[in-house]
Amino acid sequence: MKLISLLMFLTLLACECNAHRERPPPVTPSPPASGDGYAPQSRTIGINYGTLGDNLPTPSAAVAAIKSMKIGRVKIFNPNAGILAALANSGLEAVVAIPNDQIGGIGTNAAMAEAWIAQNVGAYYPATNIVTILVGNEVFSDGSLPWTQLVPAMQNLHNSLSARGWSDKIKVSTAVAADVLSSSYPPSTGSFRPDIAVPVILPLLKFLSTTRSYFFVNLYPFLSYASSGGLISLNYAQFGSNADTVMDGTFTYTNLLDAQLDAIIYATEKLGFGDVRVAVGETGWPTNADSTQAGASIQNAANYNRRLVRKILATSNFGTPKRPDVFIPTFIFALFNENQKPGPESERNWGLLYPSLRPVYDIDLTGQMVDSQYAPIAP
């Protein structure tokens, strides 16, 4: 890896990093940071359950598959009634997103927020264990959205939850892409874009800090690797054991995801809210892509996600260099290959499962298996 070139390249790369658009799981709470007010989290992996396909299985079949894979958390991109009903009494945590086009109305109208909670939470909770409502997805990647209504929408929803006595159990947040940063490398230079830092991100972080809600960030080392023209090594992007290392002050980075996470954490510190915890709302690796995106293959997807799970669910040496020993809730993108997703070929090939429910590749989502224990993937 050409480290000097990499430092210069990755500073500019942040704006390219948003592409997106039974046995119970083992429960081992991670120790919360001393006095930080966050509830302990069960050490299980999460999955993004998208529905942009015309050949997908029923929600009940999908939920059964999720449970059999020992996944503990499910994130859906809209309050799909069939999925919410199928998740009832499943033992799975549910994260439900509000589509971007509803942010403005909910932000300006508390009655609309109340109606949303009544229809999409009250009708299912607590049988469906909804733990987080995400207001929008990657809203700062679209300049046409009403950014200034994001935090008011979150506050209105929180108020409705509080009135029901649910705000301690159901948190409100949003999911952002890596393009919220104006600088991301080395991680210590991490800072938010000037157009959003003070007017939107600052009140957002204040809300998350006050309510002890996680800041969800969608991070894709694949996109950085594919766009780097060889400046980022595959091993560094995929948690390889012999990856090059990058030094940033006293911290050593052996993988790109840690560097991206710490850049976000540094940016929150610079706005005075370094106490806010982060969650990875989306991450993964595609099994197929156009020729313009290097590195997409079944083997590379398997390597990334297998190693990701082991890293996230480790019982020692977890967290990031800047925030060690703090569990980071993480959701793999995605459950299925979705044949109706628009965009480049990679968009339709992130799934762990084919729509038939057959695995695209073997993966142990408890994090117990090492690479050598898997059978080779046929070329």
Side-chain angles (χ1 to χ4, degrees):
M1 182 183 297
K2 303 170 184 176
L3 295 183
I4 295 176
S5 297
L6 175 63
L7 299 182
M8 297 173 63
F9 175 79
L10 285 178
T11 298
L12 300 175
L13 193 62
C15 292
E16 300 177 16
C17 290
N18 57 306
H20 302 273
R21 313 282 108 107
E22 144 156 39
R23 289 180 300 172
V27 177
T28 308
S30 63
S34 176
D36 72 354
Y38 283 88
Q41 298 286 323
S42 61
R43 190 174 267 102
T44 58
I45 206 70
I47 194 74
N48 283 273
Y49 178 1
T51 58
L52 295 179
D54 61 8
N55 56 357
L56 298 180
T58 64
S60 59
V63 170
I66 290 167
K67 291 180 67 177
S68 72
M69 296 164 75
K70 302 179 179 62
I71 292 167
R73 300 180 170 91
V74 179
K75 181 158 76 72
I76 58 178
F77 294 90
N78 58 71
N80 182 295
I83 297 175
L84 288 171
L87 287 168
N89 304 307
S90 66
L92 297 166
E93 294 182 355
V95 175
V96 183
I98 297 176
N100 291 349
D101 60 6
Q102 297 180 29
I103 294 173
I106 293 175
T108 56
N109 190 334
M112 187 175 292
E114 167 63 23
W116 194 96
I117 293 294
Q119 178 179 349
N120 301 302
V121 179
Y124 304 97
Y125 182 81
T128 298
N129 185 21
I130 299 170
V131 297
T132 303
I133 298 167
L134 293 179
V135 184
N137 185 56
E138 300 185 352
V139 297
F140 302 113
S141 303
D142 184 348
S144 68
L145 293 174
W147 297 345
T148 57
Q149 292 306 314
L150 176 63
V151 176
M154 294 168 68
Q155 187 65 60
N156 283 343
L157 293 162
H158 175 77
N159 291 345
S160 182
L161 292 169
S162 295
R164 289 170 164 80
W166 294 344
S167 59
D168 286 343
K169 299 294 185 181
I170 304 176
K171 301 297 183 179
V172 180
S173 186
T174 191
V176 303
D179 63 359
V180 294
L181 299 180
S182 61
S183 177
S184 64
Y185 211 89
S188 60
T189 69
S191 57
F192 291 107
R193 287 167 19 200
D195 60 325
I196 58 175
V198 172
V200 189
I201 297 294
L202 184 60
L204 169 61
L205 293 176
K206 182 178 181 180
F207 173 87
L208 297 176
S209 177
T210 300
T211 61
R212 284 306 188 242
S213 182
Y214 281 78
F215 187 28
F216 281 68
V217 187
N218 301 340
L219 297 173
Y220 286 96
F222 164 75
L223 298 173
S224 302
Y225 168 76
S227 303
S228 72
L231 293 177
I232 300 174
S233 75
L234 188 62
N235 276 334
Y236 187 71
Q238 294 207 315
F239 316 102
S241 60
N242 59 342
D244 294 328
T245 59
V246 173
M247 297 297 299
D248 185 9
T250 61
F251 295 139
T252 301
Y253 291 88
T254 61
N255 66 84
L256 182 53
L257 184 65
D258 274 352
Q260 292 176 327
L261 281 165
D262 275 358
I264 292 287
I265 293 169
Y266 273 108
T268 64
E269 277 191 351
K270 289 169 184 171
L271 288 182
F273 288 97
D275 63 318
V276 172
R277 287 206 195 181
V278 295
V280 179
E282 298 176 20
T283 193
W285 200 280
T287 53
N288 192 26
D290 297 325
S291 60
T292 56
Q293 288 186 305
S297 70
I298 291 179
Q299 184 65 68
N300 284 344
N303 286 342
Y304 181 83
N305 283 325
R306 290 167 179 173
R307 296 167 184 172
L308 169 76
V309 173
R310 288 203 302 271
K311 169 184 168 55
I312 295 300
L313 302 186
T315 55
S316 62
N317 298 319
F318 54 93
T320 68
K322 181 163 178 57
R323 192 171 284 177
D325 303 326
V326 175
F327 179 70
I328 300 172
T330 298
F331 295 77
I332 292 175
F333 191 87
L335 181 60
F336 294 117
N337 283 344
E338 300 169 61
N339 66 355
Q340 292 184 320
K341 288 200 72 178
E345 182 64 23
S346 61
E347 286 295 312
R348 294 172 287 282
N349 291 280
W350 293 82
L352 299 184
L353 301 176
Y354 294 108
S356 66
L357 297 176
R358 180 170 64 89
V360 179
Y361 49 86
D362 290 335
I363 183 169
D364 165 37
L365 293 168
T366 69
Q368 301 303 304
M369 290 179 63
V370 298
D371 289 351
S372 61
Q373 293 176 295
Y374 288 100
I377 292 174

